[in-house]
Amino acid sequence: MKQIFPGIFKEGRQLYTINLVPGKKVYGEKLVKKDCEYREWEPNRSKLAAAIVNGLKELSIKEKTKVLYLGASTGTTCSHVSDIIGHDGVIYAVEFSERVFHPLINLAKERKNIVPILADARKPEAYSFVEYCDVVFVDIADPQETEIAIRNAEEFLDCGYIMIAIKSQSIDVTKKPDKIYKEEAKKLEEAGFTVLQTINLEPHEEKHAFILARK
Ligand SMILES: C[S@@+](CC[C@H](N)C(=O)[O-])C[C@H]1O[C@@H](n2cnc3c(N)ncnc32)[C@H](O)[C@@H]1O
Protein backbone atom coordinates (compact mmCIF):
# COMPACT_ATOMS: atom_id res chain seq x y z
CA MET A 1 0.00 0.00 0.00
CA LYS A 2 1.29 3.44 -0.92
CA GLN A 3 0.15 6.39 1.19
CA ILE A 4 -1.02 9.21 -1.12
CA PHE A 5 -2.50 11.52 1.56
CA PRO A 6 -2.44 11.13 5.34
CA GLY A 7 -4.79 8.20 6.05
CA ILE A 8 -5.41 7.42 2.36
CA PHE A 9 -3.68 4.56 0.56
CA LYS A 10 -3.48 3.25 -2.97
CA GLU A 11 -2.64 -0.16 -4.36
CA GLY A 12 -2.86 -0.48 -8.14
CA ARG A 13 -5.82 1.72 -9.09
CA GLN A 14 -7.71 1.09 -5.85
CA LEU A 15 -8.05 3.53 -2.92
CA TYR A 16 -8.22 2.49 0.74
CA THR A 17 -8.66 3.96 4.19
CA ILE A 18 -7.76 2.23 7.48
CA ASN A 19 -10.86 0.77 9.11
CA LEU A 20 -11.63 2.64 12.35
CA VAL A 21 -13.85 -0.30 13.39
CA PRO A 22 -11.95 -3.43 12.34
CA GLY A 23 -14.10 -6.31 11.09
CA LYS A 24 -17.06 -4.04 10.26
CA LYS A 25 -18.16 -3.16 6.74
CA VAL A 26 -20.37 -0.10 6.16
CA TYR A 27 -21.88 -0.57 2.69
CA GLY A 28 -20.58 -3.94 1.49
CA GLU A 29 -17.08 -2.67 0.65
CA LYS A 30 -14.12 -5.08 0.55
CA LEU A 31 -11.92 -5.35 3.67
CA VAL A 32 -8.24 -6.10 3.12
CA LYS A 33 -6.05 -7.33 5.99
CA LYS A 34 -2.34 -6.49 5.83
CA ASP A 35 -0.36 -4.69 8.57
CA CYS A 36 -3.80 -3.40 9.59
CA GLU A 37 -7.29 -3.61 8.12
CA TYR A 38 -8.04 -1.45 5.08
CA ARG A 39 -11.44 -0.61 3.57
CA GLU A 40 -11.71 -0.31 -0.20
CA TRP A 41 -12.97 3.14 -1.26
CA GLU A 42 -14.81 3.11 -4.57
CA PRO A 43 -14.64 6.30 -6.73
CA ASN A 44 -17.93 5.28 -8.35
CA ARG A 45 -19.64 5.38 -4.95
CA SER A 46 -18.04 8.43 -3.38
CA LYS A 47 -17.40 11.85 -4.97
CA LEU A 48 -14.51 12.54 -2.61
CA ALA A 49 -12.82 9.31 -3.76
CA ALA A 50 -13.55 10.30 -7.39
CA ALA A 51 -11.95 13.72 -6.78
CA ILE A 52 -8.86 12.04 -5.32
CA VAL A 53 -8.36 9.62 -8.23
CA ASN A 54 -9.04 12.45 -10.69
CA GLY A 55 -6.20 14.56 -9.29
CA LEU A 56 -7.15 16.44 -6.11
CA LYS A 57 -3.88 18.19 -5.17
CA GLU A 58 -4.55 19.14 -1.58
CA LEU A 59 -6.59 17.24 0.98
CA SER A 60 -7.64 19.33 3.92
CA ILE A 61 -9.11 16.32 5.76
CA LYS A 62 -6.61 14.49 7.95
CA GLU A 63 -6.20 13.19 11.51
CA LYS A 64 -8.08 15.35 14.08
CA THR A 65 -9.91 17.43 11.42
CA LYS A 66 -13.35 18.79 12.31
CA VAL A 67 -15.74 18.50 9.37
CA LEU A 68 -19.22 19.91 8.87
CA TYR A 69 -20.64 17.50 6.28
CA LEU A 70 -23.88 18.59 4.54
CA GLY A 71 -25.80 15.80 2.78
CA ALA A 72 -24.44 12.81 4.69
CA SER A 73 -27.06 10.35 3.38
CA THR A 74 -26.48 6.85 4.82
CA GLY A 75 -22.83 7.70 5.48
CA THR A 76 -20.87 6.05 2.66
CA THR A 77 -18.35 8.88 2.23
CA CYS A 78 -18.72 9.95 5.88
CA SER A 79 -17.46 6.52 6.93
CA HIS A 80 -14.20 7.00 5.00
CA VAL A 81 -13.82 10.54 6.35
CA SER A 82 -14.37 8.99 9.79
CA ASP A 83 -11.49 6.55 9.10
CA ILE A 84 -9.20 9.42 8.02
CA ILE A 85 -9.87 11.85 10.90
CA GLY A 86 -9.64 9.12 13.55
CA HIS A 87 -10.89 9.17 17.14
CA ASP A 88 -9.73 12.75 17.76
CA GLY A 89 -11.57 14.26 14.79
CA VAL A 90 -15.29 14.88 14.42
CA ILE A 91 -17.85 14.93 11.60
CA TYR A 92 -21.04 16.88 12.13
CA ALA A 93 -23.15 14.96 9.60
CA VAL A 94 -26.23 16.91 8.49
CA GLU A 95 -28.99 15.11 6.61
CA PHE A 96 -32.64 16.10 6.18
CA SER A 97 -34.18 12.85 4.93
CA GLU A 98 -35.49 10.68 7.77
CA ARG A 99 -35.33 7.62 5.51
CA VAL A 100 -31.53 7.73 5.22
CA PHE A 101 -31.01 9.21 8.69
CA HIS A 102 -31.68 5.90 10.47
CA PRO A 103 -28.73 4.05 8.88
CA LEU A 104 -26.63 7.16 9.64
CA ILE A 105 -27.58 6.92 13.34
CA ASN A 106 -26.59 3.24 13.35
CA LEU A 107 -23.26 4.15 11.76
CA ALA A 108 -22.68 6.81 14.42
CA LYS A 109 -23.28 4.23 17.15
CA GLU A 110 -20.22 2.34 15.89
CA ARG A 111 -18.17 5.38 14.89
CA LYS A 112 -18.07 7.79 17.77
CA ASN A 113 -16.51 10.57 15.68
CA ILE A 114 -19.75 10.98 13.67
CA VAL A 115 -22.43 13.29 15.12
CA PRO A 116 -25.64 12.77 13.08
CA ILE A 117 -27.85 15.85 12.78
CA LEU A 118 -31.34 15.65 11.28
CA ALA A 119 -31.66 19.14 9.83
CA ASP A 120 -31.99 21.18 6.67
CA ALA A 121 -28.65 22.60 5.51
CA ARG A 122 -30.53 25.68 4.26
CA LYS A 123 -31.19 26.55 7.90
CA PRO A 124 -27.83 26.46 9.71
CA GLU A 125 -29.41 28.19 12.72
CA ALA A 126 -31.02 24.79 13.49
CA TYR A 127 -27.60 23.35 14.36
CA SER A 128 -25.97 26.43 15.84
CA PHE A 129 -24.49 24.20 18.60
CA VAL A 130 -21.89 22.98 16.06
CA GLU A 131 -18.42 24.35 16.82
CA TYR A 132 -16.04 26.04 14.35
CA CYS A 133 -14.84 23.41 11.87
CA ASP A 134 -11.78 23.07 9.62
CA VAL A 135 -13.77 21.92 6.58
CA VAL A 136 -17.29 22.44 5.26
CA PHE A 137 -18.05 19.54 2.89
CA VAL A 138 -21.22 19.85 0.76
CA ASP A 139 -22.94 17.17 -1.33
CA ILE A 140 -26.65 18.01 -1.39
CA ALA A 141 -27.51 18.27 -5.12
CA ASP A 142 -29.49 21.49 -4.58
CA PRO A 143 -29.81 24.32 -7.15
CA GLN A 144 -28.63 26.71 -4.40
CA GLU A 145 -25.83 24.41 -3.25
CA THR A 146 -23.01 26.95 -3.49
CA GLU A 147 -25.03 29.64 -1.68
CA ILE A 148 -25.88 27.09 1.06
CA ALA A 149 -22.20 26.13 1.32
CA ILE A 150 -21.21 29.80 1.67
CA ARG A 151 -23.84 30.48 4.34
CA ASN A 152 -22.65 27.48 6.36
CA ALA A 153 -19.00 28.44 5.92
CA GLU A 154 -19.77 31.95 7.19
CA GLU A 155 -21.30 30.37 10.27
CA PHE A 156 -18.93 27.46 11.00
CA LEU A 157 -15.58 28.18 9.31
CA ASP A 158 -13.16 30.62 10.87
CA CYS A 159 -10.45 29.88 8.39
CA GLY A 160 -10.43 26.58 6.55
CA TYR A 161 -11.69 24.82 3.47
CA ILE A 162 -14.92 24.41 1.59
CA MET A 163 -15.38 21.30 -0.57
CA ILE A 164 -18.43 21.12 -2.84
CA ALA A 165 -19.61 18.31 -5.09
CA ILE A 166 -21.46 20.12 -7.89
CA LYS A 167 -24.15 18.25 -9.85
CA SER A 168 -24.61 20.41 -12.93
CA GLN A 169 -28.03 18.87 -13.71
CA SER A 170 -29.35 20.06 -10.34
CA ILE A 171 -28.32 23.62 -11.08
CA ASP A 172 -29.37 24.10 -14.72
CA VAL A 173 -30.04 21.30 -17.22
CA THR A 174 -29.94 23.73 -20.15
CA LYS A 175 -26.35 24.91 -19.58
CA LYS A 176 -23.10 23.12 -20.39
CA PRO A 177 -21.63 21.54 -17.21
CA ASP A 178 -18.27 23.34 -17.63
CA LYS A 179 -20.04 26.72 -17.71
CA ILE A 180 -21.90 25.84 -14.50
CA TYR A 181 -18.67 24.78 -12.73
CA LYS A 182 -17.10 28.16 -13.65
CA GLU A 183 -20.16 30.08 -12.47
CA GLU A 184 -20.24 28.23 -9.13
CA ALA A 185 -16.50 28.82 -8.63
CA LYS A 186 -17.06 32.52 -9.38
CA LYS A 187 -19.76 32.70 -6.68
CA LEU A 188 -17.20 31.40 -4.18
CA GLU A 189 -14.56 33.92 -5.31
CA GLU A 190 -17.09 36.77 -5.04
CA ALA A 191 -17.91 35.65 -1.51
CA GLY A 192 -14.23 35.98 -0.58
CA PHE A 193 -13.05 32.38 -0.99
CA THR A 194 -9.97 31.40 -2.97
CA VAL A 195 -10.79 28.60 -5.38
CA LEU A 196 -7.86 26.18 -5.37
CA GLN A 197 -9.08 23.51 -7.76
CA THR A 198 -12.08 22.40 -9.81
CA ILE A 199 -12.02 18.70 -10.68
CA ASN A 200 -14.27 17.05 -13.23
CA LEU A 201 -15.54 13.78 -11.71
CA GLU A 202 -16.25 11.92 -14.94
CA PRO A 203 -16.25 8.99 -15.69
CA HIS A 204 -17.05 8.16 -12.04
CA GLU A 205 -19.90 10.69 -11.72
CA GLU A 206 -21.50 12.00 -14.90
CA LYS A 207 -21.88 15.80 -15.12
CA HIS A 208 -20.38 16.37 -11.68
CA ALA A 209 -17.38 18.39 -10.51
CA PHE A 210 -15.71 18.95 -7.19
CA ILE A 211 -14.59 22.40 -6.08
CA LEU A 212 -12.00 23.00 -3.38
CA ALA A 213 -11.77 26.53 -1.97
CA ARG A 214 -10.13 28.19 1.02
CA LYS A 215 -11.48 30.84 3.37
C1 LIG B 1 -25.90 12.73 -3.26
S1 LIG B 1 -26.54 12.34 -1.69
C2 LIG B 1 -25.13 12.40 -0.64
C3 LIG B 1 -24.20 11.22 -0.72
C4 LIG B 1 -23.16 11.23 0.38
N1 LIG B 1 -22.50 12.53 0.44
C5 LIG B 1 -22.09 10.18 0.19
O1 LIG B 1 -21.19 10.38 -0.62
O2 LIG B 1 -22.14 9.15 0.87
C6 LIG B 1 -27.31 13.86 -1.26
C7 LIG B 1 -27.94 13.85 0.13
O3 LIG B 1 -28.20 15.20 0.52
C8 LIG B 1 -29.41 15.23 1.23
N2 LIG B 1 -29.90 16.62 1.17
C9 LIG B 1 -30.34 17.30 0.08
N3 LIG B 1 -30.69 18.56 0.40
C10 LIG B 1 -30.43 18.68 1.74
C11 LIG B 1 -30.58 19.76 2.66
N4 LIG B 1 -31.05 20.95 2.27
N5 LIG B 1 -30.22 19.55 3.94
C12 LIG B 1 -29.76 18.34 4.34
N6 LIG B 1 -29.60 17.29 3.52
C13 LIG B 1 -29.93 17.45 2.23
C14 LIG B 1 -30.30 14.22 0.51
O4 LIG B 1 -31.35 13.77 1.35
C15 LIG B 1 -29.29 13.12 0.17
O5 LIG B 1 -29.25 12.13 1.18
mmCIF file of all heavy atoms in Angstrom, residues 120-156:
data_model
loop_
_atom_site.group_PDB
_atom_site.id
_atom_site.type_symbol
_atom_site.label_atom_id
_atom_site.label_comp_id
_atom_site.label_asym_id
_atom_site.label_seq_id
_atom_site.Cartn_x
_atom_site.Cartn_y
_atom_site.Cartn_z
ATOM 1 N N ASP A 120 -32.057 20.673 8.031
ATOM 2 C CA ASP A 120 -31.988 21.185 6.667
ATOM 3 C C ASP A 120 -30.769 22.117 6.567
ATOM 4 O O ASP A 120 -30.684 23.100 7.321
ATOM 5 C CB ASP A 120 -33.296 21.953 6.393
ATOM 6 C CG ASP A 120 -33.402 22.414 4.953
ATOM 7 O OD1 ASP A 120 -32.360 22.544 4.281
ATOM 8 O OD2 ASP A 120 -34.530 22.651 4.513
ATOM 9 N N ALA A 121 -29.874 21.807 5.650
ATOM 10 C CA ALA A 121 -28.646 22.604 5.510
ATOM 11 C C ALA A 121 -28.929 24.039 5.092
ATOM 12 O O ALA A 121 -28.062 24.909 5.202
ATOM 13 C CB ALA A 121 -27.713 21.938 4.499
ATOM 14 N N ARG A 122 -30.161 24.305 4.614
ATOM 15 C CA ARG A 122 -30.531 25.684 4.257
ATOM 16 C C ARG A 122 -30.808 26.513 5.494
ATOM 17 O O ARG A 122 -30.950 27.728 5.411
ATOM 18 C CB ARG A 122 -31.784 25.675 3.359
ATOM 19 C CG ARG A 122 -31.494 25.140 1.963
ATOM 20 C CD ARG A 122 -32.768 24.908 1.191
ATOM 21 N NE ARG A 122 -33.537 23.823 1.797
ATOM 22 C CZ ARG A 122 -34.603 23.245 1.230
ATOM 23 N NH1 ARG A 122 -35.013 23.639 0.052
ATOM 24 N NH2 ARG A 122 -35.244 22.270 1.834
ATOM 25 N N LYS A 123 -30.889 25.832 6.652
ATOM 26 C CA LYS A 123 -31.189 26.555 7.904
ATOM 27 C C LYS A 123 -30.126 26.244 8.951
ATOM 28 O O LYS A 123 -30.378 25.505 9.924
ATOM 29 C CB LYS A 123 -32.567 26.145 8.423
ATOM 30 C CG LYS A 123 -33.670 26.514 7.439
ATOM 31 C CD LYS A 123 -35.007 26.002 7.914
ATOM 32 C CE LYS A 123 -36.063 26.327 6.868
ATOM 33 N NZ LYS A 123 -37.196 25.421 6.887
ATOM 34 N N PRO A 124 -28.923 26.784 8.777
ATOM 35 C CA PRO A 124 -27.834 26.457 9.706
ATOM 36 C C PRO A 124 -28.118 26.854 11.147
ATOM 37 O O PRO A 124 -27.512 26.319 12.073
ATOM 38 C CB PRO A 124 -26.619 27.204 9.138
ATOM 39 C CG PRO A 124 -27.124 28.100 8.084
ATOM 40 C CD PRO A 124 -28.483 27.642 7.672
ATOM 41 N N GLU A 125 -29.069 27.784 11.341
ATOM 42 C CA GLU A 125 -29.405 28.189 12.723
ATOM 43 C C GLU A 125 -29.960 27.007 13.520
ATOM 44 O O GLU A 125 -29.874 26.978 14.747
ATOM 45 C CB GLU A 125 -30.376 29.379 12.738
ATOM 46 C CG GLU A 125 -31.717 29.187 12.059
ATOM 47 C CD GLU A 125 -31.694 29.347 10.525
ATOM 48 O OE1 GLU A 125 -30.604 29.512 9.933
ATOM 49 O OE2 GLU A 125 -32.788 29.289 9.924
ATOM 50 N N ALA A 126 -30.466 25.969 12.805
ATOM 51 C CA ALA A 126 -31.025 24.793 13.492
ATOM 52 C C ALA A 126 -29.929 23.949 14.154
ATOM 53 O O ALA A 126 -30.211 23.144 15.033
ATOM 54 C CB ALA A 126 -31.806 23.933 12.506
ATOM 55 N N TYR A 127 -28.693 24.111 13.724
ATOM 56 C CA TYR A 127 -27.602 23.348 14.359
ATOM 57 C C TYR A 127 -26.482 24.301 14.801
ATOM 58 O O TYR A 127 -25.289 24.021 14.617
ATOM 59 C CB TYR A 127 -27.084 22.210 13.449
ATOM 60 C CG TYR A 127 -26.916 22.567 11.971
ATOM 61 C CD1 TYR A 127 -25.692 23.013 11.483
ATOM 62 C CD2 TYR A 127 -27.968 22.433 11.083
ATOM 63 C CE1 TYR A 127 -25.532 23.321 10.142
ATOM 64 C CE2 TYR A 127 -27.822 22.741 9.748
ATOM 65 C CZ TYR A 127 -26.604 23.180 9.274
ATOM 66 O OH TYR A 127 -26.438 23.479 7.946
ATOM 67 N N SER A 128 -26.925 25.391 15.417
ATOM 68 C CA SER A 128 -25.970 26.429 15.842
ATOM 69 C C SER A 128 -25.047 25.953 16.964
ATOM 70 O O SER A 128 -24.067 26.605 17.287
ATOM 71 C CB SER A 128 -26.721 27.685 16.277
ATOM 72 O OG SER A 128 -27.622 27.341 17.305
ATOM 73 N N PHE A 129 -25.375 24.767 17.568
ATOM 74 C CA PHE A 129 -24.492 24.198 18.604
ATOM 75 C C PHE A 129 -23.188 23.655 18.017
ATOM 76 O O PHE A 129 -22.237 23.388 18.740
ATOM 77 C CB PHE A 129 -25.224 23.067 19.351
ATOM 78 C CG PHE A 129 -25.713 21.980 18.438
ATOM 79 C CD1 PHE A 129 -24.889 20.921 18.093
ATOM 80 C CD2 PHE A 129 -26.994 22.025 17.901
ATOM 81 C CE1 PHE A 129 -25.330 19.924 17.247
ATOM 82 C CE2 PHE A 129 -27.445 21.032 17.052
ATOM 83 C CZ PHE A 129 -26.609 19.981 16.715
ATOM 84 N N VAL A 130 -23.118 23.502 16.701
ATOM 85 C CA VAL A 130 -21.891 22.978 16.061
ATOM 86 C C VAL A 130 -20.759 23.982 16.252
ATOM 87 O O VAL A 130 -20.955 25.198 16.122
ATOM 88 C CB VAL A 130 -22.147 22.695 14.551
ATOM 89 C CG1 VAL A 130 -20.854 22.420 13.800
ATOM 90 C CG2 VAL A 130 -23.112 21.521 14.388
ATOM 91 N N GLU A 131 -19.570 23.474 16.583
ATOM 92 C CA GLU A 131 -18.415 24.345 16.824
ATOM 93 C C GLU A 131 -17.790 24.800 15.487
ATOM 94 O O GLU A 131 -18.183 24.326 14.416
ATOM 95 C CB GLU A 131 -17.361 23.580 17.646
ATOM 96 C CG GLU A 131 -16.843 22.357 16.891
ATOM 97 C CD GLU A 131 -15.979 21.437 17.729
ATOM 98 O OE1 GLU A 131 -15.094 21.913 18.441
ATOM 99 O OE2 GLU A 131 -16.172 20.217 17.613
ATOM 100 N N TYR A 132 -16.791 25.682 15.556
ATOM 101 C CA TYR A 132 -16.045 26.039 14.352
ATOM 102 C C TYR A 132 -15.351 24.795 13.807
ATOM 103 O O TYR A 132 -14.759 24.022 14.571
ATOM 104 C CB TYR A 132 -14.980 27.099 14.660
ATOM 105 C CG TYR A 132 -15.508 28.509 14.606
ATOM 106 C CD1 TYR A 132 -15.363 29.362 15.684
ATOM 107 C CD2 TYR A 132 -16.148 28.978 13.453
ATOM 108 C CE1 TYR A 132 -15.851 30.672 15.633
ATOM 109 C CE2 TYR A 132 -16.639 30.281 13.395
ATOM 110 C CZ TYR A 132 -16.493 31.112 14.478
ATOM 111 O OH TYR A 132 -16.976 32.393 14.424
ATOM 112 N N CYS A 133 -15.434 24.590 12.502
ATOM 113 C CA CYS A 133 -14.837 23.414 11.874
ATOM 114 C C CYS A 133 -13.663 23.819 10.991
ATOM 115 O O CYS A 133 -13.447 25.001 10.713
ATOM 116 C CB CYS A 133 -15.899 22.690 11.042
ATOM 117 S SG CYS A 133 -17.128 21.882 12.095
ATOM 118 N N ASP A 134 -12.906 22.817 10.535
ATOM 119 C CA ASP A 134 -11.783 23.066 9.619
ATOM 120 C C ASP A 134 -12.239 22.976 8.163
ATOM 121 O O ASP A 134 -11.628 23.553 7.269
ATOM 122 C CB ASP A 134 -10.674 22.016 9.843
ATOM 123 C CG ASP A 134 -10.252 21.943 11.301
ATOM 124 O OD1 ASP A 134 -9.772 22.972 11.808
ATOM 125 O OD2 ASP A 134 -10.436 20.882 11.938
ATOM 126 N N VAL A 135 -13.299 22.178 7.947
ATOM 127 C CA VAL A 135 -13.768 21.916 6.579
ATOM 128 C C VAL A 135 -15.300 21.925 6.558
ATOM 129 O O VAL A 135 -15.927 21.334 7.436
ATOM 130 C CB VAL A 135 -13.284 20.527 6.088
ATOM 131 C CG1 VAL A 135 -13.877 20.186 4.725
ATOM 132 C CG2 VAL A 135 -11.763 20.454 6.040
ATOM 133 N N VAL A 136 -15.857 22.595 5.551
ATOM 134 C CA VAL A 136 -17.290 22.440 5.264
ATOM 135 C C VAL A 136 -17.375 21.656 3.958
ATOM 136 O O VAL A 136 -16.873 22.099 2.921
ATOM 137 C CB VAL A 136 -18.008 23.810 5.149
ATOM 138 C CG1 VAL A 136 -19.441 23.621 4.651
ATOM 139 C CG2 VAL A 136 -18.023 24.516 6.497
ATOM 140 N N PHE A 137 -17.959 20.453 4.036
ATOM 141 C CA PHE A 137 -18.050 19.543 2.888
ATOM 142 C C PHE A 137 -19.519 19.491 2.474
ATOM 143 O O PHE A 137 -20.395 19.242 3.306
ATOM 144 C CB PHE A 137 -17.576 18.152 3.324
ATOM 145 C CG PHE A 137 -17.482 17.155 2.209
ATOM 146 C CD1 PHE A 137 -16.251 16.811 1.676
ATOM 147 C CD2 PHE A 137 -18.625 16.553 1.694
ATOM 148 C CE1 PHE A 137 -16.162 15.878 0.641
ATOM 149 C CE2 PHE A 137 -18.543 15.628 0.662
ATOM 150 C CZ PHE A 137 -17.312 15.285 0.137
ATOM 151 N N VAL A 138 -19.816 19.730 1.193
ATOM 152 C CA VAL A 138 -21.216 19.854 0.763
ATOM 153 C C VAL A 138 -21.505 18.932 -0.420
ATOM 154 O O VAL A 138 -20.844 19.004 -1.455
ATOM 155 C CB VAL A 138 -21.527 21.320 0.367
ATOM 156 C CG1 VAL A 138 -23.025 21.504 0.160
ATOM 157 C CG2 VAL A 138 -21.027 22.300 1.425
ATOM 158 N N ASP A 139 -22.519 18.085 -0.245
ATOM 159 C CA ASP A 139 -22.941 17.171 -1.328
ATOM 160 C C ASP A 139 -24.454 16.999 -1.219
ATOM 161 O O ASP A 139 -24.941 15.962 -0.802
ATOM 162 C CB ASP A 139 -22.208 15.827 -1.160
ATOM 163 C CG ASP A 139 -22.554 14.846 -2.276
ATOM 164 O OD1 ASP A 139 -23.121 15.265 -3.295
ATOM 165 O OD2 ASP A 139 -22.254 13.650 -2.113
ATOM 166 N N ILE A 140 -25.193 18.060 -1.590
ATOM 167 C CA ILE A 140 -26.652 18.013 -1.387
ATOM 168 C C ILE A 140 -27.459 18.101 -2.688
ATOM 169 O O ILE A 140 -28.686 18.080 -2.646
ATOM 170 C CB ILE A 140 -27.136 19.105 -0.406
ATOM 171 C CG1 ILE A 140 -26.737 20.499 -0.883
ATOM 172 C CG2 ILE A 140 -26.655 18.847 1.014
ATOM 173 C CD1 ILE A 140 -27.320 21.615 -0.016
ATOM 174 N N ALA A 141 -26.804 18.227 -3.840
ATOM 175 C CA ALA A 141 -27.506 18.271 -5.124
ATOM 176 C C ALA A 141 -28.691 19.238 -5.098
ATOM 177 O O ALA A 141 -29.818 18.873 -5.432
ATOM 178 C CB ALA A 141 -27.964 16.858 -5.508
ATOM 179 N N ASP A 142 -28.440 20.469 -4.680
ATOM 180 C CA ASP A 142 -29.488 21.492 -4.580
ATOM 181 C C ASP A 142 -29.123 22.619 -5.553
ATOM 182 O O ASP A 142 -27.951 22.950 -5.693
ATOM 183 C CB ASP A 142 -29.508 22.026 -3.127
ATOM 184 C CG ASP A 142 -30.624 23.008 -2.868
ATOM 185 O OD1 ASP A 142 -30.569 24.159 -3.395
ATOM 186 O OD2 ASP A 142 -31.563 22.648 -2.130
ATOM 187 N N PRO A 143 -30.130 23.221 -6.223
ATOM 188 C CA PRO A 143 -29.813 24.319 -7.147
ATOM 189 C C PRO A 143 -29.056 25.468 -6.460
ATOM 190 O O PRO A 143 -28.288 26.176 -7.097
ATOM 191 C CB PRO A 143 -31.183 24.810 -7.632
ATOM 192 C CG PRO A 143 -32.184 23.806 -7.184
ATOM 193 C CD PRO A 143 -31.556 22.888 -6.189
ATOM 194 N N GLN A 144 -29.286 25.633 -5.156
ATOM 195 C CA GLN A 144 -28.626 26.715 -4.397
ATOM 196 C C GLN A 144 -27.427 26.190 -3.607
ATOM 197 O O GLN A 144 -27.051 26.781 -2.592
ATOM 198 C CB GLN A 144 -29.634 27.319 -3.404
ATOM 199 C CG GLN A 144 -30.847 27.960 -4.039
ATOM 200 C CD GLN A 144 -30.478 29.251 -4.736
ATOM 201 O OE1 GLN A 144 -29.848 30.114 -4.134
ATOM 202 N NE2 GLN A 144 -30.830 29.368 -6.003
ATOM 203 N N GLU A 145 -26.858 25.088 -4.048
ATOM 204 C CA GLU A 145 -25.828 24.413 -3.251
ATOM 205 C C GLU A 145 -24.666 25.328 -2.843
ATOM 206 O O GLU A 145 -24.249 25.334 -1.685
ATOM 207 C CB GLU A 145 -25.293 23.228 -4.052
ATOM 208 C CG GLU A 145 -24.325 22.394 -3.250
ATOM 209 C CD GLU A 145 -24.092 21.032 -3.873
ATOM 210 O OE1 GLU A 145 -24.199 20.916 -5.103
ATOM 211 O OE2 GLU A 145 -23.778 20.120 -3.115
ATOM 212 N N THR A 146 -24.164 26.105 -3.797
ATOM 213 C CA THR A 146 -23.009 26.951 -3.487
ATOM 214 C C THR A 146 -23.382 28.026 -2.469
ATOM 215 O O THR A 146 -22.623 28.297 -1.532
ATOM 216 C CB THR A 146 -22.445 27.580 -4.784
ATOM 217 O OG1 THR A 146 -22.153 26.501 -5.680
ATOM 218 C CG2 THR A 146 -21.173 28.367 -4.529
ATOM 219 N N GLU A 147 -24.573 28.613 -2.632
ATOM 220 C CA GLU A 147 -25.029 29.638 -1.680
ATOM 221 C C GLU A 147 -25.174 29.008 -0.281
ATOM 222 O O GLU A 147 -24.805 29.621 0.727
ATOM 223 C CB GLU A 147 -26.378 30.224 -2.119
ATOM 224 C CG GLU A 147 -26.318 31.115 -3.353
ATOM 225 C CD GLU A 147 -26.310 30.365 -4.680
ATOM 226 O OE1 GLU A 147 -26.186 29.130 -4.697
ATOM 227 O OE2 GLU A 147 -26.417 31.043 -5.718
ATOM 228 N N ILE A 148 -25.699 27.777 -0.234
ATOM 229 C CA ILE A 148 -25.877 27.090 1.059
ATOM 230 C C ILE A 148 -24.500 26.801 1.679
ATOM 231 O O ILE A 148 -24.290 26.984 2.883
ATOM 232 C CB ILE A 148 -26.679 25.784 0.867
ATOM 233 C CG1 ILE A 148 -28.120 26.124 0.441
ATOM 234 C CG2 ILE A 148 -26.677 24.932 2.133
ATOM 235 C CD1 ILE A 148 -28.921 24.937 -0.060
ATOM 236 N N ALA A 149 -23.564 26.402 0.842
ATOM 237 C CA ALA A 149 -22.195 26.131 1.324
ATOM 238 C C ALA A 149 -21.591 27.406 1.908
ATOM 239 O O ALA A 149 -20.997 27.393 2.996
ATOM 240 C CB ALA A 149 -21.337 25.604 0.174
ATOM 241 N N ILE A 150 -21.777 28.525 1.212
ATOM 242 C CA ILE A 150 -21.205 29.803 1.668
ATOM 243 C C ILE A 150 -21.830 30.220 3.006
ATOM 244 O O ILE A 150 -21.120 30.595 3.938
ATOM 245 C CB ILE A 150 -21.404 30.906 0.594
ATOM 246 C CG1 ILE A 150 -20.536 30.601 -0.644
ATOM 247 C CG2 ILE A 150 -21.070 32.293 1.159
ATOM 248 C CD1 ILE A 150 -20.842 31.444 -1.863
ATOM 249 N N ARG A 151 -23.156 30.087 3.094
ATOM 250 C CA ARG A 151 -23.839 30.481 4.337
ATOM 251 C C ARG A 151 -23.322 29.646 5.514
ATOM 252 O O ARG A 151 -23.069 30.142 6.604
ATOM 253 C CB ARG A 151 -25.348 30.315 4.196
ATOM 254 C CG ARG A 151 -26.085 31.215 5.163
ATOM 255 C CD ARG A 151 -27.582 31.297 4.898
ATOM 256 N NE ARG A 151 -27.955 31.108 3.524
ATOM 257 C CZ ARG A 151 -28.955 30.312 3.125
ATOM 258 N NH1 ARG A 151 -29.658 29.645 3.994
ATOM 259 N NH2 ARG A 151 -29.258 30.203 1.852
ATOM 260 N N ASN A 152 -23.156 28.357 5.297
ATOM 261 C CA ASN A 152 -22.651 27.476 6.356
ATOM 262 C C ASN A 152 -21.196 27.786 6.693
ATOM 263 O O ASN A 152 -20.802 27.757 7.864
ATOM 264 C CB ASN A 152 -22.809 26.013 5.950
ATOM 265 C CG ASN A 152 -24.200 25.481 6.252
ATOM 266 O OD1 ASN A 152 -24.455 24.989 7.343
ATOM 267 N ND2 ASN A 152 -25.122 25.632 5.297
ATOM 268 N N ALA A 153 -20.415 28.116 5.667
ATOM 269 C CA ALA A 153 -19.003 28.441 5.921
ATOM 270 C C ALA A 153 -18.898 29.746 6.719
ATOM 271 O O ALA A 153 -18.038 29.889 7.581
ATOM 272 C CB ALA A 153 -18.248 28.543 4.601
ATOM 273 N N GLU A 154 -19.792 30.687 6.422
ATOM 274 C CA GLU A 154 -19.774 31.950 7.185
ATOM 275 C C GLU A 154 -20.056 31.693 8.663
ATOM 276 O O GLU A 154 -19.523 32.341 9.540
ATOM 277 C CB GLU A 154 -20.814 32.924 6.608
ATOM 278 C CG GLU A 154 -20.284 33.610 5.360
ATOM 279 C CD GLU A 154 -21.360 34.319 4.543
ATOM 280 O OE1 GLU A 154 -22.549 34.278 4.923
ATOM 281 O OE2 GLU A 154 -20.998 34.891 3.511
ATOM 282 N N GLU A 155 -20.886 30.691 8.908
ATOM 283 C CA GLU A 155 -21.301 30.367 10.269
ATOM 284 C C GLU A 155 -20.272 29.503 11.014
ATOM 285 O O GLU A 155 -20.020 29.700 12.189
ATOM 286 C CB GLU A 155 -22.634 29.609 10.169
ATOM 287 C CG GLU A 155 -23.502 29.608 11.390
ATOM 288 C CD GLU A 155 -24.177 30.946 11.628
ATOM 289 O OE1 GLU A 155 -24.574 31.630 10.656
ATOM 290 O OE2 GLU A 155 -24.285 31.287 12.799
ATOM 291 N N PHE A 156 -19.691 28.525 10.301
ATOM 292 C CA PHE A 156 -18.934 27.461 10.996
ATOM 293 C C PHE A 156 -17.457 27.361 10.605
ATOM 294 O O PHE A 156 -16.765 26.478 11.082
ATOM 295 C CB PHE A 156 -19.619 26.106 10.772
ATOM 296 C CG PHE A 156 -21.043 26.081 11.258
ATOM 297 C CD1 PHE A 156 -22.113 26.071 10.369
ATOM 298 C CD2 PHE A 156 -21.329 26.101 12.623
ATOM 299 C CE1 PHE A 156 -23.421 26.067 10.813
ATOM 300 C CE2 PHE A 156 -22.647 26.092 13.082
ATOM 301 C CZ PHE A 156 -23.694 26.080 12.170
#
